[in-house]
Amino acid sequence: MVLKLLQYAPSGALVAAPTAALPEQLGGVRNWDYRYTWIRDASFSVYSLLALGYEEEAISFALWTADRVSEQVGEGSGPLKIMYRIDGSSDLEELTLDHFEGYAGSTPVHIGNGAADQLQLDIYGEAMDALSIAEDHHPIGHPGWMKLLGILDWLADNWDQPDEGVWETRGGRKDFTYGRIMCWVAFDRAITIARERSRPAPLERWIATRDAIYEQVFTKCWNPERKAFTQHPGTDVVDAITLLMPLVGMISPKDPMWLSTLDAIGEELVTDSLVYRYNPSASPDGLPGEEGTFSLCSFFYVCALTDAGRLDEAQYAFEKMLTYGNHVGLFAEEIDPAGLQLGNFPQAFTHLALIRAAIALDAALTAQSATDRKAAR
């Protein structure tokens, strides 16, 4: 229901949240405007909505994403911008409202979003994933495919460069692992569509690029001392967004390299089943202050535990997360050490991850129950 209410029906766009400048730390400066639509939300939205049977809403958002692909107004950030207004326009100048005191004295109060022009390479994987998920319901037409060829041509030339990363850090560009993972997804999905739909495509180049990205992730982004895929090459810091690596199919959820990464995330970023997205003190993001655990990552942790076969831990983590929802089960972006919700509210991303975790855990528990019954006979 909340996802339906967050979707702007005339365009199909889904806003990240209907609020602006609710703080990630009470009294802190991490206060952003989330009343826009992120390309990143696309694949998660389409997957979760289709899984629940909301085909009309899912396809509407997939078509909105396709329109952004066709327009290609990204300029310095590549063919796509990372976020847009609900009508598809891209004027998101960030302003400070100095005459507002902010929620619980949390200033500055921002409207607009200065991250809109950042280079975040992962969005190309999320856009392609959304379009591939929607293919069975609404195949990509010829004009759209021609536009995609142009975007993938650009990505083949530009995937191997530093970017600002999924968390929109303001501490400079790095070779973020997650950006590489999602660039791999972009080419993997494009290759699949081209083959299954017999579409014209430079398959040799795409396959070579996909495999080069894979090689880089499994060599440079793997830290053999830490025994984990780290936030970027040259560090031993892990990042919870790496939890998506098995979910997008880049690694088996029971691969030893992944299981040791999952353990590293559990040791470094998990506290009582709640997950921090990264450690700002170990990986500076260019902003002062701290933040709470990131609810999106907490639900993706449930997915990872589930797929790894650690169902008791997954069920505990999922049921504990549900206790942090408000009186009608809604979530903001983060949860502080006292159990209070932080950040803009309600956040679509959190609820999309909740749905995905619920679907994965339910399927695994159902399968386990069937196996147990069969063994009992």
Side-chain angles (χ1 to χ4, degrees):
M1 180 64 75
V2 70
L3 293 178
K4 285 173 67 68
L5 291 171
L6 289 173
Q7 187 171 45
Y8 180 60
S11 70
L14 187 79
V15 296
T19 57
L22 292 181
E24 296 175 14
Q25 179 185 26
L26 291 180
V29 301
R30 298 167 182 258
N31 316 313
W32 315 112
D33 189 348
Y34 277 17
R35 300 171 300 161
Y36 304 108
T37 301
W38 270 251
I39 289 290
R40 183 170 298 111
D41 296 14
S43 61
F44 306 120
S45 303
V46 173
Y47 176 91
S48 296
L49 290 169
L50 283 177
L52 293 180
Y54 290 96
E55 182 174 336
E56 181 180 349
E57 291 81 0
I59 299 306
S60 291
F61 193 23
L63 291 175
W64 179 91
T65 303
D67 287 342
R68 307 293 78 76
V69 167
S70 295
E71 292 168 358
Q72 299 189 23
V73 298
E75 299 173 353
S77 60
L80 298 177
K81 284 185 174 289
I82 67 166
M83 69 181 86
Y84 300 82
R85 295 180 180 273
I86 55 175
D87 64 356
S89 60
S90 54
D91 177 17
L92 280 76
E93 179 185 3
E94 186 170 295
L95 303 173
T96 300
L97 304 183
D98 294 324
H99 56 294
F100 278 27
E101 66 179 27
Y103 182 86
S106 303
T107 57
V109 173
H110 291 121
I111 59 169
N113 201 307
D117 293 322
Q118 287 187 350
L119 174 66
Q120 296 179 20
L121 292 168
D122 65 282
I123 64 172
Y124 297 95
E126 284 128 5
M128 278 304 308
D129 198 38
L131 296 175
S132 68
I133 292 169
E135 262 289 290
D136 289 339
H137 303 268
H138 197 288
I140 300 169
H142 175 73
W145 184 252
M146 293 296 104
K147 291 289 187 179
L148 280 174
L149 291 178
I151 284 182
L152 289 162
D153 185 58
W154 177 89
L155 191 61
D157 290 333
N158 288 276
W159 68 267
D160 191 14
Q161 64 171 303
D163 69 345
E164 273 89 5
V166 60
W167 303 129
E168 300 174 1
T169 61
R170 305 195 180 194
R173 295 182 176 183
K174 295 182 176 66
D175 295 322
F176 286 110
T177 299
Y178 180 69
R180 302 300 189 262
I181 292 170
M182 295 310 294
C183 285
W184 178 90
V185 169
F187 288 103
D188 179 73
R189 304 311 191 255
I191 291 164
T192 299
I193 294 172
R195 284 174 167 167
E196 292 183 351
R197 301 287 185 182
S198 300
R199 299 290 174 82
L203 283 177
E204 288 187 8
R205 188 185 192 207
W206 287 0
I207 291 170
T209 304
R210 180 198 63 185
D211 294 349
I213 299 168
Y214 183 97
E215 181 69 18
Q216 185 178 112
V217 170
F218 278 80
T219 54
K220 293 185 178 181
C221 300
W222 169 258
N223 185 316
E225 288 76 29
R226 190 74 175 89
K227 294 185 177 177
F229 293 99
T230 54
Q231 188 179 60
H232 54 80
T235 183
D236 61 359
V237 174
V238 294
D239 191 318
I241 197 61
T242 315
L243 290 165
L244 280 164
M245 195 173 180
L247 295 185
V248 299
M250 193 174 196
I251 193 170
S252 163
K254 296 185 180 179
D255 187 302
M257 294 176 75
W258 171 248
L259 293 176
S260 61
T261 301
L262 183 58
D263 288 339
I265 290 172
E267 293 165 6
E268 186 173 322
L269 299 178
V270 179
T271 173
D272 194 21
S273 80
L274 302 180
V275 184
Y276 289 94
R277 52 182 174 172
Y278 58 93
N279 182 351
S281 62
S283 179
D285 56 14
L287 294 166
E290 300 176 349
E291 59 181 31
T293 57
F294 209 76
S295 295
L296 167 84
C297 296
S298 295
F299 284 121
F300 281 150
Y301 187 54
V302 172
C303 293
L305 290 172
T306 299
D307 290 344
R310 294 158 59 174
L311 297 188
D312 289 343
E313 294 175 68
Q315 187 169 3
Y316 172 82
F318 182 76
E319 292 179 354
K320 189 169 182 64
M321 269 300 297
L322 295 184
T323 68
Y324 290 102
N326 74 350
H327 61 293
V328 289
L330 299 184
F331 290 85
E333 186 174 37
E334 302 178 10
I335 298 168
D336 79 356
L340 299 176
Q341 303 225 34
L342 296 171
N344 287 302
F345 174 90
Q347 197 201 31
F349 229 8
T350 301
H351 295 89
L352 294 167
L354 185 162
I355 291 167
R356 187 158 188 159
I359 291 169
L361 182 58
D362 179 66
L365 291 173
T366 300
Q368 183 186 63
S369 178
T371 300
D372 292 344
R373 288 197 302 271
K374 186 176 181 180
R377 293 198 299 268

